[in-house]
Amino acid sequence: MPALAVLLAVLGAASNAAGTAFQRKAAAAVRTGGGLRFLLRLAHDPAWLAGIAGVCGAALFQALALTFGPLALVQPVFVLELPFALLIAAPLLHRRLPPAGWAGVGAVVGGLALFLGSAAPSGATDQAPMTRWVPVLIGCLGLMALAVLAARRRRSPLFRAAALGSAAAVGNALTAALLKSATGAFADHGPAAFFTAWQTYGFALTGIAAVLLLENALQAGSLAASQPALTIGDAGLSLLLGVVLFDETVRTGWWLLPELVALAVVVGGVLTLVRAVPHVHEVIRSKK
């Protein structure tokens, strides 16, 4: 049911965007600290709790979407999180999205529609052998560790936010792949299979790690640095994991031309949108 999967993914992107907007507001108020202590301080902020509620709702929609559609179809839809975040943040902060912002929204939505229509991701498998999982886990966790180490060694807020945003993107993609296997076990064999599958505990751990990385990325610098890496990295890696783990397929041959055009349009839309984010970021800080 590809159409249902896309609808659920859109709802997940909107819920996640609302969560991110509230988390950004809370994280902007905490100037120092990191790691678990930083997370504990945020836990006392109602805005952060509202953000977590949005993230939890997004996880539910995502799990349902992955039950009805392939990973390579569902996760790219989460590119819509950035447009949703700006559309939600603008009225929340009593601002209007500028004309360029609306153009960026149109580019992201149009580019995503063109990409999904051209690539036509498909696949019905939700389980993968350990011979595939082991290199994927080593590769993804290794990339996350390298990004965190790079962020710790550089003082540039722009670099640190981009590096931590990239690590969060890898964590989100890996979490989605693990979640797909876990929900597949639930759909096929019931709750007992879900709670005995190692992927269930894997997605819980990687999901927590991704949230922690996102919080630190938001604290390290503006969304203009972290959001492009987070948005595009998550979608791109998820598509790759869908192909590698679950034998999902995308069109190739001459279809690669419109796919590349669509990717360029999405990237252009994201870059256009993040130019509006610093203004929202400033208002968030001034409202606190």
Side-chain angles (χ1 to χ4, degrees), residues 4-211:
L4 179 58
V6 170
L7 174 60
L8 291 168
V10 170
L11 293 174
S15 183
N16 211 39
T20 298
F22 281 105
Q23 287 179 62
R24 185 69 187 95
K25 186 173 184 179
V30 182
R31 310 290 182 168
T32 60
L36 290 176
R37 181 178 297 180
F38 174 62
L39 194 60
L40 289 173
R41 292 180 65 184
L42 288 175
H44 292 85
D45 191 325
W48 187 83
L49 294 176
I52 290 298
V55 171
C56 290
L60 177 59
F61 285 123
Q62 181 184 31
L64 292 172
L66 290 170
T67 300
F68 294 107
L71 182 67
L73 173 66
V74 171
Q75 283 304 105
V77 176
F78 278 79
V79 168
L80 296 176
E81 178 187 346
L82 180 57
F84 276 129
L86 291 181
L87 292 173
I88 292 170
L92 180 67
L93 302 172
H94 307 292
R95 295 184 67 90
R96 291 183 178 179
L97 198 64
W102 286 107
V105 170
V108 172
V109 174
L112 177 64
L114 176 60
F115 178 81
L116 293 180
S118 301
S122 61
T125 302
D126 51 31
Q127 301 300 324
M130 287 304 299
T131 53
R132 296 185 184 183
W133 274 116
V134 170
V136 163
L137 290 171
I138 292 174
C140 289
L141 295 177
L143 286 173
M144 293 170 68
L146 288 175
V148 171
L149 288 174
R152 290 176 64 88
R153 293 184 177 183
R154 296 288 293 272
R155 294 183 178 273
S156 167
L158 182 66
F159 180 88
R160 293 186 70 247
L164 292 171
S166 298
V170 176
N172 284 338
L174 181 57
T175 299
L178 292 165
L179 180 62
K180 181 170 180 61
S181 279
T183 54
F186 181 89
D188 294 336
H189 305 291
F194 177 79
F195 288 108
T196 56
W198 68 268
Q199 291 94 333
T200 299
Y201 305 96
F203 86 71
L205 291 174
T206 56
I208 291 172
V211 169

